Amino acid sequence: MTASDKSRSANQMWGGRFAEGPDAIMQAINASIGFDQRLYAQDIAGSRAHAAMLAATGILSDSDAQAIGEGLLTVLSEIEAGSFRFRTELEDIHLNVESRLTELIGEPGKRLHTGRSRNDQVAVDFRLWVRDQCDAAVAGLTTLMQAFLKQAEAGADWVMPGFTHLQTAQPVTWGHHMMAYVEMFARDRSRLQDARRRMNECPLGAAALAGTGFPIDRQMTAAALGFDRPTANSLDSVSDRDFALEFLAASSICAMHLSRFAEELVIWSSAQFRFVRLSDRWTTGSSIMPQKKNPDAAELLRAKLGRILGATVALFTVMKGLALTYSKDMQEDKEQTFDAADSLMLGLAAMTGMVGDMTANRDTLRTAAASGFSTATDLADWLVRTLGLPFREAHHITGSLVALAETRGCDLPDLSLADMQSVHPGITEGVFAVLGVENSVRSRTSYGGTAPDQVRAQIARWTAALA
Ligand code: ARG
């Protein structure tokens, strides 16, 4: 027998009814071992829990279960040492581990698959893996929120322009802007925690689809693997991939938030804005233009959403037309989820590094905040408060004052009182107090507003919550 004949002989795991092995191309399209080997630790943990339960319920002898438990640990150490040979002809991680186990311990290895199927096996492996990713992302988000909090603390009262339509709107504080991201990432964190709670039910024991006649103890395996309870419907257990979809959807929203701040960094670090300086550690130079310092990490972060959202759409598309229960289509759930999770973790780490290292140019921010007629709303509010004008009328008068300033080539605080009174005779010297940017931000004391006291209250709330 040549090597290729041998690899094409009927499968040792299920070859009983097969005379011939699969075509080489069939093997290539069918095998998942190239990527699902990433589930080795979860697969071995699931099998160890299953074997211990089979012994506790008297389905397996204690000595068989012990041999299996120890053999699986040997397989684990072989994989971790890099000496394990993954074999494509064994399709996937489940058959690779089981086959090696049987090589190592003989007959008891062949008893491991009692009362179980690869359908519930892959469901539990993948759930365990996604659950770990939720935990890692929650931890990554917490660290990122701390980095934003630190920036907010340093500049709780630094004035900068607030934008709508990327046009100067009203002065805000740097701390307030940083804290906006703390709120976004906090929601991302809570979405992941929420998804984790929902996915924390154990599908192991659903077997192929219908459950099993063996007297298994699903409570026991669920508890051993850290699940809250076993899943309640065996058909659903082997069909469900919404746990992965929820993780991907939450990751997509989070990546969108990362991308928005990345976009702001790209704009803010440009020579035209100069709001922030990114450190050398998160930028690159140009091979031709010596002056360049490019915000590559921010740009890549902006792009990562494309991959993560792509994975989300891909899995929805894989799942949407599948009649119950398992279909092989579902093997396509893994690669893109792996890639999305990797992209998210890398993105969170890169953003944490960039935010920690960046320095705001306080003076540039203040100068920018004071230009573009940013205190026009304060002027209109003053007309309402002091002269008792209806807001619509005040808005109109202020508009005329802005137009006047524009023809004079100056900003609102630079207009003379006479100029002001030419538009509305009731205006007095007192108006100039509200045209200053510091006064403007100090006045916005409504709950959640940009006044430094409000910002400091939010910083204190989050600092306590994250401690
Ligand atoms: N490699 C397979 C997957 O990832 C494992 C489940 C196989 N089940 C089956 N009935 N062929 O989906």
PDB file of all heavy atoms in Angstrom, residues 166-200:
ATOM      1  N   LEU A 166     -19.009  67.482  11.886  1.00  0.00           N
ATOM      2  CA  LEU A 166     -17.588  67.882  11.891  1.00  0.00           C
ATOM      3  C   LEU A 166     -17.421  69.393  11.695  1.00  0.00           C
ATOM      4  O   LEU A 166     -16.374  69.886  11.270  1.00  0.00           O
ATOM      5  CB  LEU A 166     -16.762  67.095  10.853  1.00  0.00           C
ATOM      6  CG  LEU A 166     -15.242  67.075  11.075  1.00  0.00           C
ATOM      7  CD1 LEU A 166     -14.852  66.570  12.466  1.00  0.00           C
ATOM      8  CD2 LEU A 166     -14.508  66.252  10.027  1.00  0.00           C
ATOM      9  N   GLN A 167     -18.455  70.145  12.012  1.00  0.00           N
ATOM     10  CA  GLN A 167     -18.382  71.609  12.051  1.00  0.00           C
ATOM     11  C   GLN A 167     -18.398  72.006  13.528  1.00  0.00           C
ATOM     12  O   GLN A 167     -19.104  71.371  14.324  1.00  0.00           O
ATOM     13  CB  GLN A 167     -19.603  72.233  11.362  1.00  0.00           C
ATOM     14  CG  GLN A 167     -19.870  71.740   9.942  1.00  0.00           C
ATOM     15  CD  GLN A 167     -18.929  72.345   8.932  1.00  0.00           C
ATOM     16  OE1 GLN A 167     -18.628  73.533   8.977  1.00  0.00           O
ATOM     17  NE2 GLN A 167     -18.427  71.522   8.023  1.00  0.00           N
ATOM     18  N   THR A 168     -17.663  73.059  13.865  1.00  0.00           N
ATOM     19  CA  THR A 168     -17.637  73.509  15.248  1.00  0.00           C
ATOM     20  C   THR A 168     -19.059  73.751  15.742  1.00  0.00           C
ATOM     21  O   THR A 168     -19.831  74.461  15.087  1.00  0.00           O
ATOM     22  CB  THR A 168     -16.827  74.814  15.363  1.00  0.00           C
ATOM     23  OG1 THR A 168     -15.516  74.538  14.877  1.00  0.00           O
ATOM     24  CG2 THR A 168     -16.759  75.288  16.801  1.00  0.00           C
ATOM     25  N   ALA A 169     -19.385  73.166  16.900  1.00  0.00           N
ATOM     26  CA  ALA A 169     -20.748  73.305  17.425  1.00  0.00           C
ATOM     27  C   ALA A 169     -20.734  74.134  18.704  1.00  0.00           C
ATOM     28  O   ALA A 169     -21.138  75.299  18.704  1.00  0.00           O
ATOM     29  CB  ALA A 169     -21.350  71.928  17.661  1.00  0.00           C
ATOM     30  N   GLN A 170     -20.224  73.537  19.794  1.00  0.00           N
ATOM     31  CA  GLN A 170     -20.128  74.239  21.074  1.00  0.00           C
ATOM     32  C   GLN A 170     -18.864  73.761  21.759  1.00  0.00           C
ATOM     33  O   GLN A 170     -18.429  72.641  21.539  1.00  0.00           O
ATOM     34  CB  GLN A 170     -21.345  73.910  21.960  1.00  0.00           C
ATOM     35  CG  GLN A 170     -22.652  74.423  21.399  1.00  0.00           C
ATOM     36  CD  GLN A 170     -23.872  73.946  22.197  1.00  0.00           C
ATOM     37  OE1 GLN A 170     -23.768  73.049  23.034  1.00  0.00           O
ATOM     38  NE2 GLN A 170     -25.010  74.546  21.924  1.00  0.00           N
ATOM     39  N   PRO A 171     -18.292  74.604  22.629  1.00  0.00           N
ATOM     40  CA  PRO A 171     -17.122  74.132  23.365  1.00  0.00           C
ATOM     41  C   PRO A 171     -17.516  72.997  24.314  1.00  0.00           C
ATOM     42  O   PRO A 171     -18.587  73.032  24.900  1.00  0.00           O
ATOM     43  CB  PRO A 171     -16.678  75.355  24.183  1.00  0.00           C
ATOM     44  CG  PRO A 171     -17.427  76.512  23.626  1.00  0.00           C
ATOM     45  CD  PRO A 171     -18.672  75.984  23.006  1.00  0.00           C
ATOM     46  N   VAL A 172     -16.655  72.000  24.402  1.00  0.00           N
ATOM     47  CA  VAL A 172     -16.840  70.915  25.376  1.00  0.00           C
ATOM     48  C   VAL A 172     -15.501  70.721  26.072  1.00  0.00           C
ATOM     49  O   VAL A 172     -14.528  71.412  25.757  1.00  0.00           O
ATOM     50  CB  VAL A 172     -17.296  69.595  24.700  1.00  0.00           C
ATOM     51  CG1 VAL A 172     -18.666  69.750  24.051  1.00  0.00           C
ATOM     52  CG2 VAL A 172     -16.280  69.115  23.678  1.00  0.00           C
ATOM     53  N   THR A 173     -15.461  69.766  27.000  1.00  0.00           N
ATOM     54  CA  THR A 173     -14.173  69.508  27.644  1.00  0.00           C
ATOM     55  C   THR A 173     -13.574  68.196  27.120  1.00  0.00           C
ATOM     56  O   THR A 173     -14.299  67.287  26.702  1.00  0.00           O
ATOM     57  CB  THR A 173     -14.306  69.411  29.173  1.00  0.00           C
ATOM     58  OG1 THR A 173     -15.253  68.396  29.481  1.00  0.00           O
ATOM     59  CG2 THR A 173     -14.754  70.733  29.763  1.00  0.00           C
ATOM     60  N   TRP A 174     -12.277  68.164  27.154  1.00  0.00           N
ATOM     61  CA  TRP A 174     -11.536  66.946  26.765  1.00  0.00           C
ATOM     62  C   TRP A 174     -12.018  65.766  27.608  1.00  0.00           C
ATOM     63  O   TRP A 174     -12.261  64.668  27.110  1.00  0.00           O
ATOM     64  CB  TRP A 174     -10.045  67.207  26.975  1.00  0.00           C
ATOM     65  CG  TRP A 174      -9.145  66.024  26.808  1.00  0.00           C
ATOM     66  CD1 TRP A 174      -8.595  65.281  27.810  1.00  0.00           C
ATOM     67  CD2 TRP A 174      -8.683  65.452  25.581  1.00  0.00           C
ATOM     68  NE1 TRP A 174      -7.815  64.277  27.284  1.00  0.00           N
ATOM     69  CE2 TRP A 174      -7.854  64.357  25.907  1.00  0.00           C
ATOM     70  CE3 TRP A 174      -8.884  65.755  24.236  1.00  0.00           C
ATOM     71  CZ2 TRP A 174      -7.228  63.570  24.952  1.00  0.00           C
ATOM     72  CZ3 TRP A 174      -8.254  64.957  23.271  1.00  0.00           C
ATOM     73  CH2 TRP A 174      -7.441  63.887  23.630  1.00  0.00           C
ATOM     74  N   GLY A 175     -12.162  66.017  28.899  1.00  0.00           N
ATOM     75  CA  GLY A 175     -12.624  64.948  29.792  1.00  0.00           C
ATOM     76  C   GLY A 175     -13.982  64.412  29.367  1.00  0.00           C
ATOM     77  O   GLY A 175     -14.221  63.197  29.388  1.00  0.00           O
ATOM     78  N   HIS A 176     -14.845  65.298  28.952  1.00  0.00           N
ATOM     79  CA  HIS A 176     -16.187  64.900  28.536  1.00  0.00           C
ATOM     80  C   HIS A 176     -16.121  64.014  27.294  1.00  0.00           C
ATOM     81  O   HIS A 176     -16.822  62.999  27.198  1.00  0.00           O
ATOM     82  CB  HIS A 176     -16.988  66.182  28.226  1.00  0.00           C
ATOM     83  CG  HIS A 176     -18.471  65.983  28.219  1.00  0.00           C
ATOM     84  ND1 HIS A 176     -19.137  65.281  29.178  1.00  0.00           N
ATOM     85  CD2 HIS A 176     -19.430  66.439  27.364  1.00  0.00           C
ATOM     86  CE1 HIS A 176     -20.445  65.296  28.915  1.00  0.00           C
ATOM     87  NE2 HIS A 176     -20.642  65.987  27.817  1.00  0.00           N
ATOM     88  N   HIS A 177     -15.265  64.413  26.359  1.00  0.00           N
ATOM     89  CA  HIS A 177     -15.109  63.625  25.128  1.00  0.00           C
ATOM     90  C   HIS A 177     -14.548  62.237  25.445  1.00  0.00           C
ATOM     91  O   HIS A 177     -15.017  61.228  24.915  1.00  0.00           O
ATOM     92  CB  HIS A 177     -14.199  64.386  24.148  1.00  0.00           C
ATOM     93  CG  HIS A 177     -14.360  63.937  22.725  1.00  0.00           C
ATOM     94  ND1 HIS A 177     -14.925  64.731  21.745  1.00  0.00           N
ATOM     95  CD2 HIS A 177     -14.043  62.771  22.114  1.00  0.00           C
ATOM     96  CE1 HIS A 177     -14.939  64.056  20.591  1.00  0.00           C
ATOM     97  NE2 HIS A 177     -14.404  62.870  20.798  1.00  0.00           N
ATOM     98  N   MET A 178     -13.557  62.177  26.304  1.00  0.00           N
ATOM     99  CA  MET A 178     -12.989  60.871  26.676  1.00  0.00           C
ATOM    100  C   MET A 178     -14.042  59.997  27.361  1.00  0.00           C
ATOM    101  O   MET A 178     -14.149  58.798  27.111  1.00  0.00           O
ATOM    102  CB  MET A 178     -11.789  61.053  27.612  1.00  0.00           C
ATOM    103  CG  MET A 178     -10.594  61.762  26.994  1.00  0.00           C
ATOM    104  SD  MET A 178      -9.905  60.876  25.570  1.00  0.00           S
ATOM    105  CE  MET A 178     -10.414  61.941  24.234  1.00  0.00           C
ATOM    106  N   MET A 179     -14.833  60.619  28.223  1.00  0.00           N
ATOM    107  CA  MET A 179     -15.838  59.852  28.964  1.00  0.00           C
ATOM    108  C   MET A 179     -16.963  59.340  28.062  1.00  0.00           C
ATOM    109  O   MET A 179     -17.638  58.364  28.396  1.00  0.00           O
ATOM    110  CB  MET A 179     -16.417  60.693  30.112  1.00  0.00           C
ATOM    111  CG  MET A 179     -15.429  60.971  31.241  1.00  0.00           C
ATOM    112  SD  MET A 179     -14.660  59.472  31.901  1.00  0.00           S
ATOM    113  CE  MET A 179     -16.055  58.752  32.768  1.00  0.00           C
ATOM    114  N   ALA A 180     -17.164  59.992  26.926  1.00  0.00           N
ATOM    115  CA  ALA A 180     -18.167  59.473  25.977  1.00  0.00           C
ATOM    116  C   ALA A 180     -17.773  58.058  25.558  1.00  0.00           C
ATOM    117  O   ALA A 180     -18.620  57.165  25.440  1.00  0.00           O
ATOM    118  CB  ALA A 180     -18.253  60.392  24.758  1.00  0.00           C
ATOM    119  N   TYR A 181     -16.470  57.826  25.354  1.00  0.00           N
ATOM    120  CA  TYR A 181     -16.019  56.486  24.961  1.00  0.00           C
ATOM    121  C   TYR A 181     -16.109  55.502  26.119  1.00  0.00           C
ATOM    122  O   TYR A 181     -16.363  54.309  25.914  1.00  0.00           O
ATOM    123  CB  TYR A 181     -14.611  56.554  24.353  1.00  0.00           C
ATOM    124  CG  TYR A 181     -14.681  57.076  22.929  1.00  0.00           C
ATOM    125  CD1 TYR A 181     -14.454  58.420  22.642  1.00  0.00           C
ATOM    126  CD2 TYR A 181     -15.053  56.238  21.886  1.00  0.00           C
ATOM    127  CE1 TYR A 181     -14.581  58.908  21.353  1.00  0.00           C
ATOM    128  CE2 TYR A 181     -15.175  56.712  20.593  1.00  0.00           C
ATOM    129  CZ  TYR A 181     -14.941  58.045  20.328  1.00  0.00           C
ATOM    130  OH  TYR A 181     -15.079  58.512  19.045  1.00  0.00           O
ATOM    131  N   VAL A 182     -15.917  55.983  27.324  1.00  0.00           N
ATOM    132  CA  VAL A 182     -16.090  55.089  28.476  1.00  0.00           C
ATOM    133  C   VAL A 182     -17.519  54.543  28.486  1.00  0.00           C
ATOM    134  O   VAL A 182     -17.740  53.346  28.694  1.00  0.00           O
ATOM    135  CB  VAL A 182     -15.748  55.814  29.798  1.00  0.00           C
ATOM    136  CG1 VAL A 182     -16.155  54.979  31.006  1.00  0.00           C
ATOM    137  CG2 VAL A 182     -14.251  56.126  29.857  1.00  0.00           C
ATOM    138  N   GLU A 183     -18.485  55.394  28.194  1.00  0.00           N
ATOM    139  CA  GLU A 183     -19.883  54.939  28.153  1.00  0.00           C
ATOM    140  C   GLU A 183     -20.085  53.901  27.045  1.00  0.00           C
ATOM    141  O   GLU A 183     -20.730  52.875  27.247  1.00  0.00           O
ATOM    142  CB  GLU A 183     -20.831  56.128  27.920  1.00  0.00           C
ATOM    143  CG  GLU A 183     -20.853  57.149  29.048  1.00  0.00           C
ATOM    144  CD  GLU A 183     -21.487  56.621  30.343  1.00  0.00           C
ATOM    145  OE1 GLU A 183     -22.303  55.678  30.266  1.00  0.00           O
ATOM    146  OE2 GLU A 183     -21.160  57.154  31.414  1.00  0.00           O
ATOM    147  N   MET A 184     -19.520  54.178  25.865  1.00  0.00           N
ATOM    148  CA  MET A 184     -19.697  53.234  24.741  1.00  0.00           C
ATOM    149  C   MET A 184     -19.084  51.876  25.065  1.00  0.00           C
ATOM    150  O   MET A 184     -19.700  50.831  24.846  1.00  0.00           O
ATOM    151  CB  MET A 184     -19.026  53.793  23.475  1.00  0.00           C
ATOM    152  CG  MET A 184     -19.732  54.986  22.872  1.00  0.00           C
ATOM    153  SD  MET A 184     -18.789  55.634  21.459  1.00  0.00           S
ATOM    154  CE  MET A 184     -18.435  57.273  22.050  1.00  0.00           C
ATOM    155  N   PHE A 185     -17.857  51.906  25.573  1.00  0.00           N
ATOM    156  CA  PHE A 185     -17.187  50.633  25.842  1.00  0.00           C
ATOM    157  C   PHE A 185     -17.820  49.912  27.032  1.00  0.00           C
ATOM    158  O   PHE A 185     -17.780  48.680  27.113  1.00  0.00           O
ATOM    159  CB  PHE A 185     -15.680  50.851  26.022  1.00  0.00           C
ATOM    160  CG  PHE A 185     -15.011  51.265  24.728  1.00  0.00           C
ATOM    161  CD1 PHE A 185     -14.286  52.447  24.626  1.00  0.00           C
ATOM    162  CD2 PHE A 185     -15.141  50.476  23.590  1.00  0.00           C
ATOM    163  CE1 PHE A 185     -13.699  52.834  23.429  1.00  0.00           C
ATOM    164  CE2 PHE A 185     -14.564  50.852  22.380  1.00  0.00           C
ATOM    165  CZ  PHE A 185     -13.833  52.040  22.300  1.00  0.00           C
ATOM    166  N   ALA A 186     -18.423  50.672  27.925  1.00  0.00           N
ATOM    167  CA  ALA A 186     -19.142  50.029  29.033  1.00  0.00           C
ATOM    168  C   ALA A 186     -20.351  49.257  28.492  1.00  0.00           C
ATOM    169  O   ALA A 186     -20.643  48.153  28.938  1.00  0.00           O
ATOM    170  CB  ALA A 186     -19.590  51.083  30.040  1.00  0.00           C
ATOM    171  N   ARG A 187     -21.038  49.842  27.505  1.00  0.00           N
ATOM    172  CA  ARG A 187     -22.168  49.109  26.923  1.00  0.00           C
ATOM    173  C   ARG A 187     -21.680  47.870  26.172  1.00  0.00           C
ATOM    174  O   ARG A 187     -22.309  46.817  26.222  1.00  0.00           O
ATOM    175  CB  ARG A 187     -22.979  50.015  25.994  1.00  0.00           C
ATOM    176  CG  ARG A 187     -23.789  51.082  26.731  1.00  0.00           C
ATOM    177  CD  ARG A 187     -24.826  51.721  25.806  1.00  0.00           C
ATOM    178  NE  ARG A 187     -24.250  52.421  24.668  1.00  0.00           N
ATOM    179  CZ  ARG A 187     -23.799  53.684  24.685  1.00  0.00           C
ATOM    180  NH1 ARG A 187     -23.861  54.387  25.804  1.00  0.00           N
ATOM    181  NH2 ARG A 187     -23.289  54.234  23.601  1.00  0.00           N
ATOM    182  N   ASP A 188     -20.543  47.989  25.498  1.00  0.00           N
ATOM    183  CA  ASP A 188     -19.984  46.818  24.808  1.00  0.00           C
ATOM    184  C   ASP A 188     -19.687  45.707  25.809  1.00  0.00           C
ATOM    185  O   ASP A 188     -19.960  44.533  25.558  1.00  0.00           O
ATOM    186  CB  ASP A 188     -18.684  47.194  24.075  1.00  0.00           C
ATOM    187  CG  ASP A 188     -18.954  48.130  22.905  1.00  0.00           C
ATOM    188  OD1 ASP A 188     -20.079  48.103  22.372  1.00  0.00           O
ATOM    189  OD2 ASP A 188     -18.043  48.902  22.536  1.00  0.00           O
ATOM    190  N   ARG A 189     -19.134  46.116  26.932  1.00  0.00           N
ATOM    191  CA  ARG A 189     -18.797  45.150  27.981  1.00  0.00           C
ATOM    192  C   ARG A 189     -20.071  44.467  28.470  1.00  0.00           C
ATOM    193  O   ARG A 189     -20.122  43.257  28.645  1.00  0.00           O
ATOM    194  CB  ARG A 189     -18.138  45.918  29.132  1.00  0.00           C
ATOM    195  CG  ARG A 189     -16.964  45.236  29.754  1.00  0.00           C
ATOM    196  CD  ARG A 189     -16.245  46.174  30.697  1.00  0.00           C
ATOM    197  NE  ARG A 189     -17.149  46.753  31.672  1.00  0.00           N
ATOM    198  CZ  ARG A 189     -16.912  46.816  32.981  1.00  0.00           C
ATOM    199  NH1 ARG A 189     -15.791  46.300  33.462  1.00  0.00           N
ATOM    200  NH2 ARG A 189     -17.753  47.378  33.799  1.00  0.00           N
ATOM    201  N   SER A 190     -21.097  45.257  28.694  1.00  0.00           N
ATOM    202  CA  SER A 190     -22.300  44.656  29.251  1.00  0.00           C
ATOM    203  C   SER A 190     -22.997  43.760  28.219  1.00  0.00           C
ATOM    204  O   SER A 190     -23.583  42.753  28.564  1.00  0.00           O
ATOM    205  CB  SER A 190     -23.210  45.727  29.854  1.00  0.00           C
ATOM    206  OG  SER A 190     -24.295  45.999  29.035  1.00  0.00           O
ATOM    207  N   ARG A 191     -22.875  44.110  26.927  1.00  0.00           N
ATOM    208  CA  ARG A 191     -23.435  43.214  25.901  1.00  0.00           C
ATOM    209  C   ARG A 191     -22.725  41.857  25.928  1.00  0.00           C
ATOM    210  O   ARG A 191     -23.353  40.814  25.815  1.00  0.00           O
ATOM    211  CB  ARG A 191     -23.264  43.838  24.505  1.00  0.00           C
ATOM    212  CG  ARG A 191     -24.511  44.562  24.003  1.00  0.00           C
ATOM    213  CD  ARG A 191     -24.313  45.070  22.581  1.00  0.00           C
ATOM    214  NE  ARG A 191     -23.462  46.238  22.546  1.00  0.00           N
ATOM    215  CZ  ARG A 191     -23.897  47.486  22.733  1.00  0.00           C
ATOM    216  NH1 ARG A 191     -25.168  47.721  22.907  1.00  0.00           N
ATOM    217  NH2 ARG A 191     -23.071  48.504  22.717  1.00  0.00           N
ATOM    218  N   LEU A 192     -21.399  41.880  26.086  1.00  0.00           N
ATOM    219  CA  LEU A 192     -20.649  40.613  26.112  1.00  0.00           C
ATOM    220  C   LEU A 192     -20.960  39.814  27.368  1.00  0.00           C
ATOM    221  O   LEU A 192     -21.075  38.589  27.334  1.00  0.00           O
ATOM    222  CB  LEU A 192     -19.142  40.899  26.012  1.00  0.00           C
ATOM    223  CG  LEU A 192     -18.679  41.347  24.620  1.00  0.00           C
ATOM    224  CD1 LEU A 192     -17.339  42.071  24.698  1.00  0.00           C
ATOM    225  CD2 LEU A 192     -18.561  40.137  23.686  1.00  0.00           C
ATOM    226  N   GLN A 193     -21.104  40.523  28.492  1.00  0.00           N
ATOM    227  CA  GLN A 193     -21.433  39.822  29.743  1.00  0.00           C
ATOM    228  C   GLN A 193     -22.818  39.188  29.643  1.00  0.00           C
ATOM    229  O   GLN A 193     -23.045  38.070  30.116  1.00  0.00           O
ATOM    230  CB  GLN A 193     -21.374  40.807  30.918  1.00  0.00           C
ATOM    231  CG  GLN A 193     -19.942  41.200  31.273  1.00  0.00           C
ATOM    232  CD  GLN A 193     -19.865  42.446  32.154  1.00  0.00           C
ATOM    233  OE1 GLN A 193     -20.744  43.315  32.106  1.00  0.00           O
ATOM    234  NE2 GLN A 193     -18.805  42.538  32.958  1.00  0.00           N
ATOM    235  N   ASP A 194     -23.695  39.908  29.016  1.00  0.00           N
ATOM    236  CA  ASP A 194     -25.057  39.440  28.829  1.00  0.00           C
ATOM    237  C   ASP A 194     -25.079  38.196  27.921  1.00  0.00           C
ATOM    238  O   ASP A 194     -25.730  37.192  28.218  1.00  0.00           O
ATOM    239  CB  ASP A 194     -25.832  40.606  28.186  1.00  0.00           C
ATOM    240  CG  ASP A 194     -27.303  40.384  28.168  1.00  0.00           C
ATOM    241  OD1 ASP A 194     -27.814  39.750  29.109  1.00  0.00           O
ATOM    242  OD2 ASP A 194     -27.959  40.841  27.211  1.00  0.00           O
ATOM    243  N   ALA A 195     -24.346  38.262  26.818  1.00  0.00           N
ATOM    244  CA  ALA A 195     -24.275  37.128  25.892  1.00  0.00           C
ATOM    245  C   ALA A 195     -23.667  35.914  26.596  1.00  0.00           C
ATOM    246  O   ALA A 195     -24.121  34.780  26.428  1.00  0.00           O
ATOM    247  CB  ALA A 195     -23.437  37.495  24.665  1.00  0.00           C
ATOM    248  N   ARG A 196     -22.671  36.167  27.408  1.00  0.00           N
ATOM    249  CA  ARG A 196     -22.014  35.075  28.117  1.00  0.00           C
ATOM    250  C   ARG A 196     -22.991  34.371  29.053  1.00  0.00           C
ATOM    251  O   ARG A 196     -23.023  33.146  29.133  1.00  0.00           O
ATOM    252  CB  ARG A 196     -20.831  35.604  28.938  1.00  0.00           C
ATOM    253  CG  ARG A 196     -20.007  34.481  29.563  1.00  0.00           C
ATOM    254  CD  ARG A 196     -19.265  34.963  30.786  1.00  0.00           C
ATOM    255  NE  ARG A 196     -18.171  34.068  31.144  1.00  0.00           N
ATOM    256  CZ  ARG A 196     -18.328  32.957  31.858  1.00  0.00           C
ATOM    257  NH1 ARG A 196     -19.526  32.572  32.266  1.00  0.00           N
ATOM    258  NH2 ARG A 196     -17.272  32.205  32.159  1.00  0.00           N
ATOM    259  N   ARG A 197     -23.792  35.158  29.747  1.00  0.00           N
ATOM    260  CA  ARG A 197     -24.786  34.582  30.652  1.00  0.00           C
ATOM    261  C   ARG A 197     -25.738  33.669  29.882  1.00  0.00           C
ATOM    262  O   ARG A 197     -26.055  32.577  30.314  1.00  0.00           O
ATOM    263  CB  ARG A 197     -25.598  35.714  31.297  1.00  0.00           C
ATOM    264  CG  ARG A 197     -25.472  35.774  32.809  1.00  0.00           C
ATOM    265  CD  ARG A 197     -26.371  36.796  33.469  1.00  0.00           C
ATOM    266  NE  ARG A 197     -26.574  38.055  32.778  1.00  0.00           N
ATOM    267  CZ  ARG A 197     -25.744  39.112  32.856  1.00  0.00           C
ATOM    268  NH1 ARG A 197     -24.660  39.047  33.605  1.00  0.00           N
ATOM    269  NH2 ARG A 197     -26.015  40.221  32.212  1.00  0.00           N
ATOM    270  N   ARG A 198     -26.167  34.117  28.726  1.00  0.00           N
ATOM    271  CA  ARG A 198     -27.129  33.348  27.955  1.00  0.00           C
ATOM    272  C   ARG A 198     -26.505  32.084  27.356  1.00  0.00           C
ATOM    273  O   ARG A 198     -27.168  31.061  27.235  1.00  0.00           O
ATOM    274  CB  ARG A 198     -27.698  34.228  26.837  1.00  0.00           C
ATOM    275  CG  ARG A 198     -29.118  33.919  26.505  1.00  0.00           C
ATOM    276  CD  ARG A 198     -29.807  34.963  25.637  1.00  0.00           C
ATOM    277  NE  ARG A 198     -28.994  36.057  25.213  1.00  0.00           N
ATOM    278  CZ  ARG A 198     -29.003  37.276  25.763  1.00  0.00           C
ATOM    279  NH1 ARG A 198     -29.810  37.544  26.760  1.00  0.00           N
ATOM    280  NH2 ARG A 198     -28.199  38.221  25.318  1.00  0.00           N
ATOM    281  N   MET A 199     -25.225  32.163  26.959  1.00  0.00           N
ATOM    282  CA  MET A 199     -24.612  30.991  26.318  1.00  0.00           C
ATOM    283  C   MET A 199     -24.146  29.947  27.324  1.00  0.00           C
ATOM    284  O   MET A 199     -23.707  28.873  26.947  1.00  0.00           O
ATOM    285  CB  MET A 199     -23.435  31.420  25.423  1.00  0.00           C
ATOM    286  CG  MET A 199     -22.161  31.765  26.149  1.00  0.00           C
ATOM    287  SD  MET A 199     -20.815  32.226  25.023  1.00  0.00           S
ATOM    288  CE  MET A 199     -21.411  33.723  24.266  1.00  0.00           C
ATOM    289  N   ASN A 200     -24.262  30.266  28.612  1.00  0.00           N
ATOM    290  CA  ASN A 200     -23.630  29.391  29.600  1.00  0.00           C
ATOM    291  C   ASN A 200     -24.499  28.194  29.993  1.00  0.00           C
ATOM    292  O   ASN A 200     -24.719  27.916  31.162  1.00  0.00           O
ATOM    293  CB  ASN A 200     -23.224  30.209  30.834  1.00  0.00           C
ATOM    294  CG  ASN A 200     -22.065  29.549  31.552  1.00  0.00           C
ATOM    295  OD1 ASN A 200     -21.247  28.860  30.913  1.00  0.00           O
ATOM    296  ND2 ASN A 200     -22.010  29.706  32.861  1.00  0.00           N
TER     297      ASN A 200
END
